[in-house]
Amino acid sequence: MDMAIDAAGQDELAPGIDLAASRAFQAGLDGDDTAVPHADVAVDPRVVEREAQSYWERTHAFRAEELPSRPKYYCLSMFPYPSGKLHMGHVRNYTIGDALSRYHRMRGDNVMQPMGWDAFGLPAENAARDSKIHPAKWTYDNIATMRGELKRMGLSLDWKREIATCDPDYYKHQQRMFLDFMRAGLVQRKLGKVNWDPVDQTVLANEQVIDGRGWRTGALVEKREIPMYYLNITRYAEELLGALDSLPGWPERVRTMQANWIGRSTGVNLAF
C-alpha cells in the first residue's frame, strides 16, 4: 500500500483522530518499529481505520485514471441489490474482489474497481409498497445506507464510477440497444411460459427456483404464460458456443451454464 499521513499536527488529522494513533499508523507504514507505541499505549483499530479511510478519500487513492504505461486490471464484482443493509454474503463477496484489486495494485497494475446497484425491478416496487414508501425514495435511501457500510469496510472502490441501474442515465442505453436490435429484426414478441412467484409477483429465472419454490420468498412457483420479447440469439448459437472454447480460464460449471443459456437444440428424443 502506497500512502503517507501527515501527523505533524492535529489540524492535519480527520475529526476524532488522535495524534498517537496516527503516528503509530504512519510508523507501521514506514516500517519503523521503534516509533510504534509500546504495549501500554492503547491504539484503537477503529481510529486507525478512520484515519486511513479519510486519507484514501482525500487523495482519491482508488480512482482509476488513464495510465498507458501500466498494465490494466479491471475488477467488477456482481452489483448488490439495495435491500437495505449488507449481510455476510456481501462482506464475503466484496472482500474477495477487493483482495484481488489490492494484489494487482501492489504489483503496479492500473486497477479499476467500480461499484453499482442492481436496483431496477419489481422486488424494489413490492418492498416499497409494503413499506408504504415511494420506490425511488426506498431504493435511494437503501443505496445511501449500503454505500456507507461498504465505505466503512475500507474497500478500494472507485466511487466516482458508481451507477444505479434504476437511473435513467443508465437504462437509456439499454433502451437504445433494444431498439437497435428490433430494427435489425432480432426481436420478436410472443407468448412464453415463465416461473411466477405469487408473493413477489415477479418472474424468476430457473436458477432462482429451488425445489419448486422462489429463492427469496419460499413460495410455491407457478407456471404462467405471458407475452414476452425474445432476442433471436439462436442465429448466433454456433458462434457463441464455439467462443466458449476460447475461454480456458472460466470455471467449467460457468461455461456449462452459458452453454445451457445459449440453448442450442439439434433434435428431440421421444419415448413411447
Side-chain angles (χ1 to χ4, degrees):
M1 193 180 302
D2 184 16
M3 59 186 296
I5 293 178
D6 183 358
Q10 290 281 28
D11 291 341
E12 297 298 323
L13 300 178
I17 306 303
D18 68 85
L19 184 58
S22 179
R23 284 176 174 164
F25 180 65
Q26 179 64 61
L29 292 175
D30 296 338
D32 181 6
D33 294 336
T34 62
V36 177
H38 297 290
D40 59 343
V41 178
V43 176
D44 188 342
R46 293 170 297 183
V47 172
V48 176
E49 289 174 6
R50 286 198 301 268
E51 173 63 15
Q53 292 169 17
S54 175
Y55 176 85
W56 294 336
E57 187 165 355
R58 292 198 310 271
T59 60
H60 310 296
F62 306 122
R63 181 170 297 179
E65 299 177 353
E66 288 290 337
L67 298 171
S69 62
R70 292 166 60 182
K72 297 178 181 179
Y73 186 77
Y74 179 46
C75 182
L76 177 64
S77 299
M78 182 185 296
F79 288 165
Y81 170 71
S83 55
K85 292 183 179 179
L86 297 184
H87 53 66
M88 287 308 299
H90 292 113
V91 174
R92 174 182 181 273
N93 188 61
Y94 300 116
T95 298
I96 293 172
D98 197 57
L100 280 170
S101 294
R102 290 180 181 274
Y103 168 76
H104 281 275
R105 187 173 285 106
M106 292 174 70
R107 287 171 55 93
D109 295 346
N110 184 22
V111 176
M112 181 170 72
Q113 185 182 199
M115 178 50 66
W117 310 96
D118 184 6
F120 198 74
L122 280 175
E125 295 180 17
N126 291 338
R129 179 195 61 201
D130 294 341
S131 303
K132 295 181 173 53
I133 300 174
H134 191 282
K137 176 174 173 51
W138 187 89
T139 299
Y140 283 106
D141 284 352
N142 287 348
I143 287 175
T145 297
M146 296 175 69
R147 182 193 301 117
E149 292 172 335
L150 287 173
K151 286 186 175 182
R152 286 197 296 277
M153 285 178 61
L155 303 176
S156 55
L157 297 168
D158 184 357
W159 286 105
K160 185 180 179 182
R161 298 175 182 271
E162 178 186 9
I163 63 169
T165 58
C166 60
D167 188 333
D169 284 338
Y170 173 82
Y171 65 71
K172 68 181 181 183
H173 301 291
Q174 293 179 313
Q175 292 174 327
R176 288 172 180 167
M177 290 174 61
F178 181 84
L179 292 175
D180 287 341
F181 291 150
M182 182 173 286
R183 296 187 188 101
L186 295 174
V187 177
Q188 57 179 314
R189 191 170 187 262
K190 61 181 182 180
L191 292 175
K193 288 186 177 181
V194 298
N195 302 311
W196 180 261
D197 187 314
V199 175
D200 262 351
Q201 297 184 6
T202 188
V203 174
L204 302 178
N206 290 334
E207 293 77 16
Q208 295 174 315
V209 180
I210 302 173
D211 296 329
R213 295 181 178 272
W215 70 285
R216 186 188 299 275
T217 66
L220 285 173
V221 171
E222 304 170 3
K223 288 291 184 179
R224 287 196 180 184
E225 194 171 55
I226 62 174
M228 298 189 295
Y229 288 101
Y230 289 82
L231 295 176
N232 295 329
I233 64 171
T234 51
R235 296 187 190 179
Y236 309 97
E238 290 293 340
E239 181 179 351
L240 291 169
L241 286 170
L244 290 177
D245 295 332
S246 64
L247 303 172
W250 285 35
E252 185 60 33
R253 65 180 183 83
V254 175
R255 292 167 60 182
T256 300
M257 188 183 299
Q258 292 288 332
N260 292 337
W261 279 337
I262 294 169
R264 183 190 63 184
S265 178
T266 55
V268 177
N269 293 324
L270 298 177
F272 295 93

